[in-house]
Amino acid sequence: MKKMASMLGSALLCALALTSCGGKKTDASATTAAPKTEEKKVLTVGYAQVGAESDWRLANTESFKKTFTAENGYKLIFDDAQQKQENQIKAIRNFIQQDVDYIVVAPVVETGWETVLKEAKDAGIPVILSDRQMSVSDESLYLCWVGGNFLKEGRDSVIWLENYLKKIGRENDELKIVDLQGTIGASAQIGRTQGIEEGIAKHSNWELVAQQSGDFTQKGGQEVMESILKSTPKIDVVFAENDNMAWGAVDAIRAAGKEPGKDIIIICFDAVKETFNRMISGEINCAVECNPLHGPRVDEIIKDLQAGKKVDKIQYVVEEVFDEENAKDRLPTRAY
């Protein structure tokens, strides 16, 4: 399957603007015709991954590697960008040179992709976005996006906190809140930060006393939390915009002589197995799921495209909210 002229014979139908996840986008559909001039037994897919900065990212990578196999009719070319946009741009250009059938990208940040996406479009290679989004002036530069609704995740975390405070009788307390942000400019950071900030602004007794990036890493979360604890001794709630930063924050809080999960309420995002263990032990209070298993969904999209079917421009994965009450029962069902 090659060249956008034949690949997108029916033309991309995407009159839209994404609204979720920090962008301004809405759902639409795209159509494509099955290739007429070239048939391949094996489809080559180039995947430009962000890196290996978290357990969530490792699960996401494994999902693609288990899905895009020779047995399933694929050759996967995988590239780890080590959290650098320039590495991803280089990888995409290498994929174009290798004349792959599809390019999948989990972009490090949202902006700065116009030129390389235009190169892929000119080469007739469809681009599918996974996890994080891109902000581009021409949305026909990519075919579709698969991932979590990061803005909703942020809002869901605030709703959980509101309900929890009522349950423990603290809904009227003055709260000092910390937000450990992810990589600044990443879709997950933009959406989760926005949802958290919106929620805090609705409560006159909630104050955001510190907000700093831990870059989605455990080390970053620990270092930032240590610094914040020194300058802001009174903290009631920590939002950590991924699991790994929450684990680092737990270590910092404990080192400061406080009890994580009790002295300080901790809410995080991703909900990998280790976080379930930490919720069961009581050191993390809530985890908002961000489902990393995107490989099968991207496989479905490609198979639909090969069959000439329509695909939605935006495809959200199913996500839930977990806490200390349901973590023990749900842990055995977790796939990541």
Side-chain angles (χ1 to χ4, degrees):
M1 194 228 48
K2 262 301 143 268
K3 305 312 166 202
M4 193 68 79
S6 59
M7 165 71 198
L8 301 179
S10 333
L12 199 61
L13 303 176
C14 43
L16 51 84
L18 287 171
T19 54
S20 65
C21 310
K24 297 179 175 63
K25 305 171 183 173
T26 55
D27 288 352
S29 295
T31 62
T32 184
K36 299 178 180 178
T37 60
E38 182 180 356
E39 293 293 336
K40 278 189 172 183
K41 292 183 179 179
V42 175
L43 293 173
T44 301
V45 175
Y47 183 34
Q49 177 63 286
V50 171
E53 76 284 0
S54 66
D55 288 59
W56 189 97
R57 188 66 54 191
L58 296 174
N60 179 254
T61 292
E62 189 63 19
S63 174
F64 277 90
K65 289 184 175 180
K66 285 184 175 180
T67 301
F68 290 90
T69 62
E71 293 77 11
N72 202 21
Y74 294 102
K75 175 184 176 182
L76 177 66
I77 305 174
F78 178 81
D79 188 275
D80 180 339
Q82 300 179 338
Q83 294 182 276
K84 295 180 180 179
Q85 183 180 33
E86 59 267 30
N87 290 346
Q88 284 195 311
I89 291 173
K90 181 180 178 181
I92 293 169
R93 288 186 170 133
N94 286 338
F95 296 155
I96 294 170
Q97 291 177 357
Q98 294 178 72
D99 202 28
V100 302
D101 295 288
Y102 291 92
I103 293 172
V104 182
V105 186
V108 176
V109 295
E110 288 196 350
T111 59
W113 302 101
E114 303 266 353
T115 300
V116 73
L117 289 186
K118 180 66 164 53
E119 293 170 15
K121 183 176 182 179
D122 290 344
I125 303 174
V127 175
I128 297 172
L129 307 186
S130 169
D131 177 31
R132 302 177 182 179
Q133 297 176 343
M134 293 180 181
S135 178
V136 293
S137 59
D138 178 6
E139 290 179 351
S140 72
L141 292 175
Y142 67 90
L143 184 66
C144 62
W145 170 86
V146 175
N149 188 332
F150 304 124
L151 178 57
K152 183 177 183 297
E153 290 171 10
R155 289 170 173 168
D156 285 347
S157 72
V158 173
I159 292 171
W160 180 89
L161 179 59
E162 291 169 339
N163 292 331
Y164 182 69
L165 292 171
K166 290 177 183 178
K167 178 182 174 181
I168 64 175
R170 294 189 60 189
E171 66 269 30
N172 296 319
D173 286 5
E174 298 288 331
L175 296 183
K176 306 294 186 182
I177 298 175
V178 169
D179 178 21
L180 302 181
Q181 296 173 292
T183 303
I184 300 301
S187 296
Q189 176 273 312
I190 292 171
R192 291 168 187 166
T193 295
Q194 181 180 338
I196 292 166
E197 289 177 342
E198 286 178 355
I200 293 173
K202 293 177 182 177
H203 296 270
S204 60
N205 57 322
W206 293 11
E207 180 185 0
L208 183 62
V209 296
Q211 187 176 52
Q212 190 173 337
S213 173
D215 211 25
F216 286 131
T217 68
Q218 184 168 345
K219 180 181 178 181
Q222 181 173 351
E223 291 176 348
V224 170
M225 195 68 219
E226 287 173 348
S227 176
I228 292 172
L229 283 164
K230 290 177 182 177
S231 61
T232 314
K234 176 66 168 70
I235 297 170
D236 298 289
V237 180
V238 171
F239 288 94
E241 293 186 12
N242 83 334
D243 286 343
N244 291 70
M245 289 192 300
W247 305 344
V250 164
D251 292 339
I253 291 167
R254 188 171 283 121
K258 299 179 183 294
E259 191 171 357
K262 293 182 173 59
D263 295 331
I264 299 177
I265 298 167
I266 300 177
I267 304 165
C268 61
F269 299 82
D270 287 352
V272 300
K273 284 184 177 180
E274 176 59 22
T275 292
F276 275 73
N277 291 327
R278 291 171 181 256
M279 284 191 286
I280 293 168
S281 71
E283 64 184 27
I284 289 177
N285 303 88
C286 172
V288 180
E289 183 179 32
C290 183
N291 189 340
L293 306 182
H294 298 177
R297 179 61 65 86
V298 174
D299 174 41
E300 291 174 6
I301 290 169
I302 291 175
K303 284 181 166 58
D304 283 344
L305 293 171
Q306 290 296 110
K309 297 179 181 179
K310 294 180 179 181
V311 299
D312 291 338
K313 185 77 172 178
I314 306 304
Q315 303 209 21
Y316 292 122
V317 291
V318 177
E319 298 173 330
E320 301 180 65
V321 178
F322 305 97
D323 59 20
E324 297 162 297
E325 290 190 352
N326 60 21
K328 187 174 181 179
D329 289 338
R330 297 301 299 274
L331 176 58
T333 70
R334 305 301 289 165
Y336 49 88

